[in-house]
Structures are given as structure tokens and as C-alpha cells.
Amino acid sequence: NVNNKPWVKIYHPMNEEHVSGLYLVHGASEDDHGVKKVQVRIDDGEWETAVNTGRERPWATWAFEWDTTDYENGKHVVCARAWDGELYSDLSCRHAYVDNEGGGAPPTPWGGATPFVSIGLLAGLGATFYMWRRSHGYLRK
């Protein structure tokens, strides 16, 4: 019964992405005997255990909250590894640029939501307002 090494992949941050504030590092992992944990390391820091977000298969997806305000602005290396109880995976690493002083990408509205999410939120608010006006007799049915 051969035990193959698990694998791990980082989905975000994308390579060379600019990040700031609290940033959600996340990805996926898998193993033939099941992943027991995923760990994340920033630069040469300590390995910290990520959070298991896999619903049907433990550790199929995972997340780690990175407080970038604890790091200097500039280029950093984010690495992840998975452990199956016996073997560690190869490292999956990405480079990210911490930019906590606003010199990078312009701020996005609605707390970082994409324009499509913002438009959906506005449409939902508009529909709610319309239904309230209609139910209170301000509009005819």
C-alpha cells in the first residue's frame, strides 16, 4: 500500500498580486490517504495552520487570513504545504506585493467587491425599496 505525497495549490494571491490589510490566502489540497492539515508560511516565518474549508472532503479547500499590516511594504513569498500524517507535499509558493500605503491599485467600492457584486447589491436594494413602497400603498398593484 503505497503512500503518495499530498499536493497543495494556492489560488490566491495570484503571482505578483498587490495585497493589503487582511487578505484571505486560499487554495486546494488532496491526498490518496486524506490530508490532515495545510500550513502557510510568509517569507521565512513560522508555519501556521490554515483553516479547513472543505465540506465534503476535509482539506479539499483551505483558507488562511494574512494580516499584511504586520509586514513591510514590498515583495513577499507566500508558501503552503499539505500533510497527510506521514508525508508533506511539495511547496506551492506565490510572490505578492504588500502595499498598505495606497500606492498600488486604486481602492475598490463596497469593501473590495467587484463591480458585478456592487451592481447586484444596488439592484437588490432597489427591488427591496420598490416592494416596500408597493406594500405600503405608495404604488398601485
Side-chain angles (χ1 to χ4, degrees), residues 34-51:
V35 173
K36 305 292 187 241
K37 70 179 173 182
V38 172
Q39 295 177 308
V40 176
R41 178 177 73 184
I42 310 298
D43 298 327
D44 292 323
E46 296 293 318
W47 287 102
E48 298 184 53
T49 302
V51 174

Side-chain angles (χ1 to χ4, degrees), residues 120-141:
L121 179 62
L122 290 174
L125 289 173
T128 302
F129 182 67
Y130 172 80
M131 295 302 290
W132 180 87
R133 289 183 61 196
R134 185 173 166 187
S135 67
H136 284 82
Y138 293 105
L139 299 173
R140 292 183 193 186
K141 293 182 180 182

